[in-house]
Structures are given as structure tokens and as C-alpha cells.
Amino acid sequence: MISEWAQRVSATVDPEGSLRAPEEAVWHTYVSLAMYNAVTGIEGRYTPYRWREAAPRGASAEAAAATAAYQVLLTGFPKAGPLLRSAWTDSLARVPDGPGEQAGVAFGRRAAQHLMALRADDGRGASVPFSPSSTPGGWRPAPPRYGPFATAWIGRLRPFLMDEPGRFRPGPPPEPASVRYARDFAEVKAYGAKNGSRRSAWQTETALFVARVDIQRALGDHAARHGFDLTETARLYAAANTVMMDAMIAAWDAKLHYATWRPITAIREADRDGNPATRADPAWEPLLATPEHPDYLSGHAATAGALMRTLETLLGTSRVDLDIHSVGTGTTRHYEHSAEYLRDVVDARVWSGIHTRSADIVGSATGKRVAEWALRRHFLKTRASAPMPGTGSKSKHMKSAPRIGQPSRSSQPLP
């Protein structure tokens, strides 16, 4: 139930695949938190997210989870109402009729209303003033779109777990005249170029693979293969999505604060950076189109670091056992350990030509710091001991339901 509604978020929020990742990520967080509160308010075992309500005895946790997700999405996307209602009806058809279902529906609706009330006026979509720079090292609109700073509001969005966006703001990026800057510059120029790059075929495929991965599907697949029950799955999605969202907020805060130029600008205008080790190439182009926001920090690397540290904490091991599917390449890679995925993400953004290695490494480290801080305070076990993942039984309120299918693995092994 949790996995299916998590997958439904993308289809509701961005049916045509035109939204930027941060815009969609906010709704994954809203929905997963509402479902988590709905489930833990009935089943217990983990501390709810900023809520103290408890459901009536016998309420169906499955009906509550489906209703919470349905209500959150309906609030944000009323035009999708008919499709959402049909999906919600299908979900309730798997729950035995009676008082338990009715109580679960009512409690799920309360969970959704509470979550959306918590997030009222949180800064989503707000206008955030930002002035481009014309000085060496400063961000300005880059080709091919030459668009203004997109989704700048993420850096001022009220965090879900942190007390303020800049809590984990790292130190500054390398100065343009520094040796480290020259090293970053040389690497992205050589390996991130669209034409004449030193990338191997595998490195190019990795850059394309990482560009757009389906983390929601990977979480559902992991939960299914490892026998997570409803409560464990709700916690997995809520913790992962919320920590990743706060890591994204931290990354965008740094983007707003440091506002460093992207590789394409740095390489084309290298004759202005004051570094004798860099050389300008006015015609240089990256493998992937440059996103419309500053280089430092890498949001992709920050959310990857946050996700992997979250999984390590919840699972108690670095063996994350994830099958991650790429929407961009249509392939799936298996990541046995967290370090393997982080390696690919950090490398991929350099090989894509859109980030410096420093922006990636510091981004990943910042995401880990956010996760470590957040998970010492949220999504904790209650005093009553909870079973380990894979040991829970199917809820007594649930009819027989299909298992989330496993995606096929890529035939090409990791290097």
C-alpha cells in the first residue's frame, strides 16, 4: 500500500515529466509523512512526525495510509481528483469492510489534514530574489537555456527536520586562483565535454544513468524483497524522503549563499579567472544540459549522501542491496553497498560536465551530516521494541495484496 501510493505521486504531480526534481520531491515528502503518521498512529512502534494523535482501537492502518496519501494529493492537485479517487477506491477494496475500515479512513484523513496544516505557508514556490553576477567565479545564466536561477525557493523552504536551511552550510568552495580549483577545472573540462571527451563508454553511460533515477521504486523493491511490513515500509519512505528533502534544502541554501558559476561558464571564461593553470575554450559544451542554478553544492550528490546514510542507519549496515532503475537510460543497476552508489553519483555529475568534483564531494558529505543529525531525533523506535525488517507479519486488517515486482537487473556488471 505504501509503495503503490509513493509511486502514484510522480504520476499525479508530474504526469508529463516536465517538473524539476526538487518540485516533485516536496510532494513525495508530504505524502510519505502523512502515510507514516497515519500508520504509526495506529500500529505504534515508531515516533510519529510532530503529531500526538492515536486512532481508535481496531482502525485499519492500510485504509489510513491510502486515505492519507489520497487526501494530500487531492489537496495539491484537485484536477487529478477522478483518477485519485479511482485509485483510492481500489486500495480500499483490499481492506475488509466494516468499522475498522471506516475508522482507518477517518484517521488517514486527519493525518493528511494535520500534515498539510503543518506545512501551510512553508515557502513552497515562493519568489526568492537573486541577482546574477558578472564577476569571475560568480553564477550567471548559462547556455543553452540562459534561464534565471530556477527553484531558488528550495533554499528558503522551511525545513522538515532541520531548524533552519543554513544549519549544515559547509565552508566555501575553492577560490578560482587556487590549485584545487584548477584541478577541478581540468577534470570536468576533460571528462565532462560533450565532444572530444576522455570518458569511456561506461563513464558516459553512468553519467546518463544517474541523471534521472527512480528512488521511490528502489525503496519499494527493497521493502518487498526484504519482507518489510506496512509500518517498516512507511518508516522507510518517510525517513528517506524527508531527509533527502532537507539535504536538498541545505544544498540550495549553499547555492544561494556562494552562488558559484557552472563549469560551462568557468571554462568559456577561464581567461578571466586569474588562474594561470586554466585555459579558456569558448566553444566547450557539457555532455548534459546545464541546470539553471549554481554549481556549489551539488543537489544530486547531497540527496544521494542523505539517502545512503539514512539507509545505513535504518538497516544497521552499509549493505543497502538496492536495485536502482534509471528513467533516462531504461536500465537497472544493482548496488550492494552504499559507497558504490555514492561513487557513481559523484563521478557522474563530473562526467556529465555540469558539476565540479568539489561540489559533488562536499554535497555528499553535507547530505550525510543532515541524515546523521535528523535520524538522532526523528523516526525513532518507541520504547516497545519493534521487530527487525523482514520479521513483521502482514497486518490483520489487510486482504491478500500483490507484491511489488522486482525490476530486472542490468546485464552489464559494475566496473
Side-chain angles (χ1 to χ4, degrees):
M1 190 70 79
I2 301 295
S3 299
E4 289 171 3
W5 277 96
Q7 286 287 297
R8 192 163 284 116
V9 173
S10 295
T12 303
V13 175
D14 189 20
E16 298 179 358
S18 58
L19 280 185
R20 297 176 177 87
E23 297 172 292
E24 182 178 321
V26 173
W27 286 97
H28 280 294
T29 308
Y30 290 162
V31 170
S32 62
L33 282 174
M35 290 194 293
Y36 173 76
N37 275 354
V39 170
T40 56
I42 294 172
E43 300 289 342
R45 292 169 50 188
Y46 301 107
T47 54
Y49 173 76
R50 298 176 179 171
W51 202 33
R52 296 181 180 274
E53 296 293 324
R57 185 181 299 274
S60 165
E62 289 78 16
T67 302
Y70 165 64
Q71 288 294 147
V72 169
L73 290 173
L74 188 63
T75 298
F77 305 92
K79 291 183 178 180
L83 290 176
L84 289 170
R85 184 171 184 83
S86 176
W88 178 59
T89 301
D90 289 345
S91 292
L92 293 185
R94 290 156 47 189
V95 179
D97 296 333
E101 178 188 41
Q102 295 168 9
V105 167
F107 192 68
R109 187 174 292 116
R110 285 166 57 195
Q113 291 169 345
H114 175 77
L115 191 282
M116 296 311 289
L118 280 179
R119 299 306 300 180
D121 300 318
D122 62 3
R124 176 172 51 86
S127 175
V128 175
F130 180 84
S131 299
S133 170
S134 59
T135 61
W139 185 86
R140 47 191 153 281
R145 291 184 286 263
Y146 291 99
F149 191 156
T151 63
W153 56 268
I154 292 289
R156 296 295 177 261
L157 185 70
R158 176 160 31 94
F160 289 81
L161 306 173
M162 301 183 296
D163 48 6
E164 54 97 12
R167 165 169 277 276
F168 297 100
R169 185 185 297 165
E175 290 290 339
S178 68
V179 172
R180 184 178 174 189
Y181 176 91
R183 185 169 64 244
D184 282 348
F185 178 99
E187 182 185 25
V188 72
K189 183 180 182 183
Y191 287 88
K194 183 176 182 179
N195 302 305
S197 170
R198 295 182 184 176
R199 284 187 313 273
S200 67
W202 174 259
Q203 289 170 333
T204 298
E205 202 278 336
T206 299
L208 298 175
F209 177 91
V210 167
R212 193 178 176 196
V213 291
D214 190 344
I215 296 300
Q216 307 303 315
R217 172 173 167 177
L219 293 174
D221 171 72
H222 179 96
R225 287 188 290 109
H226 289 268
F228 281 34
D229 65 17
L230 183 81
T231 311
E232 293 158 352
T233 306
R235 184 197 188 207
L236 175 68
Y237 273 99
N241 280 313
T242 311
V243 174
M244 284 194 294
M245 190 67 239
D246 265 25
M248 192 177 297
I249 292 171
W252 257 249
D253 167 79
K255 289 177 185 289
L256 284 168
H257 183 76
Y258 293 114
T260 56
W261 58 9
R262 284 281 185 163
I264 188 169
T265 311
I267 293 169
R268 291 187 175 191
E269 300 184 26
D271 54 351
R272 301 178 58 219
D273 63 18
N275 194 320
T278 64
R279 180 172 297 178
D281 181 351
W284 189 89
E285 292 185 36
L287 174 66
L288 299 181
T290 298
E292 294 144 316
H293 41 76
D295 174 53
Y296 188 89
L297 301 174
S298 164
H300 216 97
T303 56
L307 174 63
M308 291 301 113
R309 187 52 52 87
T310 297
L311 294 178
E312 290 172 354
T313 302
L314 298 188
L315 303 176
T317 176
S318 63
R319 183 180 176 272
V320 294
D321 183 26
L322 288 179
D323 285 327
I324 297 182
H325 179 77
S326 170
V327 178
T329 63
T331 59
T332 299
R333 289 189 182 187
H334 178 74
Y335 291 97
E336 190 69 9
H337 293 92
S338 57
E340 297 168 357
Y341 182 64
L342 291 180
R343 174 204 64 199
D344 274 6
V345 171
V346 168
D347 286 342
R349 306 313 268 174
V350 176
W351 298 338
S352 299
I354 59 176
H355 273 302
T356 58
R357 185 164 293 274
S358 290
D360 293 334
I361 291 175
V362 178
S364 177
T366 299
K368 292 178 184 179
R369 291 179 63 203
V370 171
E372 290 162 2
W373 183 91
L375 295 176
R376 288 196 296 267
R377 295 163 173 80
H378 300 275
F379 311 109
L380 303 173
K381 291 181 181 179
T382 58
R383 290 187 178 183
S385 61
M388 293 297 291
T391 62
S393 59
K394 184 165 60 179
S395 170
K396 61 183 178 295
H397 304 296
M398 192 68 175
K399 291 179 182 177
S400 177
R403 206 168 153 89
I404 304 298
Q406 299 181 35
S408 59
R409 301 191 182 197
S410 172
S411 59
Q412 188 172 14
L414 285 168

